[in-house]
Amino acid sequence: MKRVLKVLFICIMLVALYMPILILAVYSFTTSANIGTIHGFSMHNYVTLFTKPELADMIWGTVILAVVSAAISTVLGTTGAIGAFYSRKLPSGIVGAMNRVPVVNADVVTGFSICILLIVVMGVSKDTFVPLVVGHVVLSAPFVYLSVVPKLKQMDSSLYEAAMDLGASPAKALTKVVIPQIMPGIISGFALALTLSLDDYFITTYTKPATFDTISTYVVNATKGSQTEIKTALWALSTIIFLVVIIVVVIMNLAGRDKENNRKGAER
């Protein structure tokens, strides 16, 4: 009976989480202008999504911003985690505590603070992408740090010193011994940073140039307008993003499972 209740509870939660997305996906393949009545099958929303210049520019701009900010965040978060891990207890504790501040801080506060610091105090032009990239890095880098630290703790801390004792330089010991050991955490951190950048709205709103829109800011502005064609095309965009996320998660899980099976086979 307990097993049945657990399965039922999980099914209810999955339905509550994914049913709205599935409904949106169904309507993206119809000619309906509003959710509530299905008129007929059509690929018009997907054609509009990939042929309308403003939508294509918005999507590519969002992807490029996410990749660049995630790459910078991954480098900063990984180096910060490695530095804190091999530091003394007090500096390591200070770095860890400071890293938690952007994590628990509200995005609107972070965005507004970056806007004041860079644009008002330092005079950086808002027409550039510097405040926007900095804002996304500040948002994402702490999560990369949190993804890498557990892998460092799982690793044998003496491997680095052992590599240097065997003649490796500090840089070679880092790249040949430490980095491969924590690579799953680095990849997870990069994926998380990418997702945070794609999803962010508040920091982007405060720091982006006036002529630039990401998916989040564009969707919010589009839902306030009266362009039905744009709104329904965004249903198609949401469906594609959902499918991409599912595919990536499945691939990562399969890769992790294969790696674990190979490791167990090698131990045998």
Side-chain angles (χ1 to χ4, degrees):
M1 188 63 182
K2 290 183 178 180
R3 181 177 298 179
V4 173
L5 291 175
K6 288 180 181 179
V7 172
L8 181 62
F9 176 76
I10 293 174
C11 291
I12 293 174
M13 291 302 299
L14 290 176
V15 169
L17 287 172
Y18 294 111
M19 185 58 71
I21 302 176
L22 294 177
I23 292 174
L24 198 65
V26 170
Y27 274 89
S28 69
F29 291 100
T30 67
T31 57
S32 303
N34 296 293
I35 294 179
T37 304
I38 297 179
H39 294 295
F41 177 81
S42 175
M43 296 293 293
H44 175 71
N45 293 328
Y46 292 87
V47 174
T48 302
L49 179 64
F50 290 106
T51 58
K52 206 167 185 63
E54 63 175 292
L55 289 174
D57 293 342
M58 176 268 295
I59 294 171
W60 281 113
T62 304
V63 172
I64 293 172
L65 171 64
V67 171
V68 171
S69 63
I72 298 173
S73 300
T74 302
V75 173
L76 294 179
T78 302
T79 53
I82 294 173
F85 180 75
Y86 285 104
S87 297
R88 295 181 179 178
K89 187 174 182 180
L90 180 61
S92 178
I94 293 174
V95 173
M98 294 298 294
N99 183 78
R100 296 188 188 96
V101 175
V103 174
V104 300
N105 197 21
D107 288 355
V108 63
V109 176
T110 302
F112 191 59
S113 302
I114 292 172
C115 180
I116 292 177
L117 176 64
L118 294 180
I119 298 174
V120 178
V121 177
M122 301 181 64
V124 178
S125 175
K126 196 177 179 181
D127 294 331
T128 66
F129 288 91
V130 173
L132 180 59
V133 174
V134 170
H136 280 231
V137 170
V138 171
L139 171 69
S140 304
F143 290 92
V144 178
Y145 178 97
L146 293 176
S147 298
V148 175
V149 166
K151 294 300 179 181
L152 286 166
K153 291 181 178 179
Q154 293 174 8
M155 181 187 70
D156 187 351
S157 59
S158 63
L159 289 176
Y160 180 76
E161 288 81 3
M164 293 184 64
D165 290 341
L166 293 173
S169 63
K172 192 170 183 179
L174 177 65
T175 56
K176 297 294 185 179
V177 177
V178 177
I179 297 297
Q181 293 287 327
I182 63 174
M183 186 55 67
I186 296 175
I187 295 174
S188 299
F190 177 81
L192 183 57
L194 195 70
T195 303
L196 289 169
S197 178
L198 291 171
D199 184 61
D200 179 72
Y201 172 75
F202 290 106
I203 293 176
T204 304
T205 300
Y206 281 109
T207 57
K208 74 179 184 67
T211 57
F212 179 79
D213 268 314
T214 61
I215 292 175
S216 58
T217 59
Y218 189 91
V219 167
V220 172
N221 294 331
T223 53
K224 295 178 181 178
S226 57
Q227 294 179 291
T228 303
E229 186 181 36
I230 297 297
K231 291 180 181 179
T232 55
L234 294 175
W235 297 350
L237 177 61
S238 301
T239 303
I240 292 174
I241 293 175
F242 180 64
L243 291 176
V244 169
V245 170
I246 290 178
I247 292 171
V248 171
V249 170
V250 170
I251 292 174
M252 291 180 66
N253 287 337
L254 291 177
R257 184 178 299 176
D258 291 341
K259 185 176 181 180
E260 182 67 19
N261 292 334
N262 293 335
R263 185 183 66 81
K264 290 181 178 179
E267 290 177 353
R268 291 175 184 175

